[in-house]
Amino acid sequence: MTASLLLKNVRPYAGPATDILIENGKIARIGKDIAAPAGVAVEDGRAEIVIPGLVEAHTHLDKSLWGQPWYTNEVGPKLLDKIDNERQSKKRLDIDPARQSARQSIQSSLMGSTHIRSHVDVDTEHGLWGVEGVMATRDAYRDIVDIELVAFPQSGLLRRPGTLELMEAAMKAGCEVVGGLDPCAIDRDPKGHLDAVFGLCQTYGKPLDIHLHEPGEMGLFSFDLIVERTRALGMAGKVTVSHAFCLGADPAQVDPLMEELVALDIAIMTTAPASRPAPPVTKLLAAGVRVCSGSDGIRDTWGPYGNADMLERAMFVGLRNNFRRDDELRLALDVCTTEGAKVMEIADYGLSEGKAADLVILPGETVAEAIVTRSPKRRVLKRGRVVARDGVSVRAAP
């Protein structure tokens, strides 16, 4: 669904006030004192900031407990504790992927996200239940948000025989990205795991987005193997490494790897975690590495946090990287907007003529103030149509 609309008196990135004419869902003209064409509605921007739609480049739509009764978390500390508990709890807690992904998608939209990349569990206990549910949401809620699916072997790929075949089925069903997970720590077969996921990429002509929680030297070892395959298989520009805690290690170990990231255009996703080492955002961006961010899990069996607000995530990026200057906070916003769009390879994205009219209008004197105050009074446009206003979506949650 597309729309035509004239936005009067808005300030792109908190700059000088201007008007934005939207025609058939695209930005047709930006300039002062634009007259509304016949039949085109006018929206008063009230001299508020306008930015391109926020990009949620890493989340798990199929497993959110949003809208469910509060979950008392008593799960053990290990990664496998959380993985096994979640897999075993899905039916018991009625975490229906179609319903829960719809709920989170609406929440993401009303907070300003216009694009979502969701990792969706594929495992031998639940098969393609998650993929089918999130695909139903993707198709039913295209009017408010675009959703991209990553087939994700959350419980492990090789340690649970039959998962690789299910991953192939997920790709055949229409997942846009191949996922992977900690080749050393989970499958304990880095060569086998990486050969399998890169093999799926080659077979289906799709990019890779691999979770890499592995710390320190273990993570750097896995990263070297990812780099090796990216180069050998001609997949430059088609690989994203999510979390990449190991990039927060000793610069003497990390800097040589950074050169490879640039040469092979390997993208990095960081949630800017408070409790783990994290990729150095400024250093990566300065080198020319694409860096995006995401909410990860939102109120699920792993943890109680998250509200799908990518402006809040920009604040977390700022806090984790000691951003204090206004220009640094603009970098944090870029990570949650334009950089995320680069990683997801979103066509027609941006705040310029000819681009899709996926926009957020919100109060604030500067971009930094908008990130820090995070006003709930936001207007969200998807393809030129207002789909959320002041925290209320045009779609009702199931």
Side-chain angles (χ1 to χ4, degrees), residues 5-303:
L5 182 69
L6 177 60
L7 299 179
K8 297 289 290 185
N9 192 27
V10 290
R11 295 184 298 122
Y13 288 109
T18 191
D19 302 335
I20 299 178
L21 176 62
I22 298 165
E23 293 181 336
N24 299 317
K26 291 186 177 291
I27 299 172
R29 185 180 164 201
I30 300 176
K32 293 284 289 182
D33 302 321
I34 299 176
V40 173
V42 177
E43 178 86 15
D44 181 7
R46 305 192 293 259
E48 293 182 347
I49 297 170
V50 61
I51 60 174
L54 294 159
V55 177
E56 169 67 85
H58 185 106
T59 192
H60 298 265
L61 290 175
D62 59 312
K63 59 182 70 177
S64 174
L65 288 167
W66 195 269
Q68 297 281 82
W70 188 259
Y71 171 74
T72 300
N73 192 329
E74 298 174 319
V75 183
K78 297 177 182 178
L79 186 62
L80 279 174
D81 293 336
K82 297 173 177 62
I83 290 171
D84 292 342
N85 172 72
E86 177 184 65
R87 188 181 63 256
Q88 295 158 8
S89 299
K90 284 181 177 179
K91 294 289 188 180
R92 177 175 61 84
L93 296 175
D94 188 28
I95 308 176
D96 178 76
R99 183 189 64 238
Q100 294 309 116
S101 61
R103 288 175 175 175
Q104 185 179 323
S105 295
I106 291 171
Q107 174 66 15
S108 291
S109 169
L110 66 85
M111 300 306 282
S113 288
T114 56
H115 295 81
I116 296 173
R117 172 178 281 187
S118 176
H119 297 253
V120 184
D121 287 6
V122 174
D123 65 63
T124 53
E125 192 161 334
H126 301 289
L128 299 186
W129 188 39
V131 168
E132 291 162 354
V134 178
M135 282 185 173
T137 293
R138 178 189 65 185
D139 296 340
Y141 291 84
R142 290 184 191 276
D143 58 325
I144 64 171
V145 65
D146 289 318
I147 298 172
E148 179 181 77
L149 281 78
V150 184
F152 179 49
Q154 174 73 89
S155 293
L157 185 62
L158 305 179
R159 67 190 290 265
R160 294 178 68 88
T163 304
L164 181 57
E165 290 75 13
L166 287 168
M167 288 283 288
E168 290 201 59
M171 299 312 298
K172 289 177 181 177
C175 287
E176 293 91 347
V177 184
V178 176
L181 173 69
D182 295 338
C184 290
I186 300 298
D187 272 339
R188 300 186 179 184
D189 182 356
K191 181 183 183 303
H193 182 98
L194 293 174
D195 284 351
V197 295
F198 274 95
L200 288 172
C201 293
Q202 295 288 295
T203 298
Y204 295 98
K206 299 297 185 181
L208 175 70
D209 189 334
I210 182 169
H211 283 58
L212 190 63
H213 307 97
E214 296 167 358
E217 291 187 0
M218 181 193 294
L220 292 171
F221 170 74
S222 290
F223 220 133
D224 279 340
L225 298 181
I226 293 168
V227 166
E228 178 181 71
R229 284 159 178 76
T230 303
R231 180 187 298 108
L233 297 172
M235 285 187 59
K238 298 297 181 182
V239 173
T240 301
V241 179
S242 287
H243 300 299
F245 299 148
C246 60
L247 293 185
D250 180 3
Q253 293 179 299
V254 172
D255 285 355
L257 181 58
M258 295 264 289
E259 296 174 10
E260 300 280 10
L261 299 185
V262 175
L264 295 170
D265 191 16
I266 294 174
I268 300 298
M269 191 295 302
T270 179
T271 62
S275 59
R276 295 286 188 275
V281 167
T282 304
K283 193 172 186 177
L284 288 165
L285 290 174
V289 177
R290 291 173 296 150
V291 181
C292 63
S293 190
S295 301
D296 203 8
I298 292 178
R299 299 191 192 178
D300 55 20
T301 62
W302 290 57

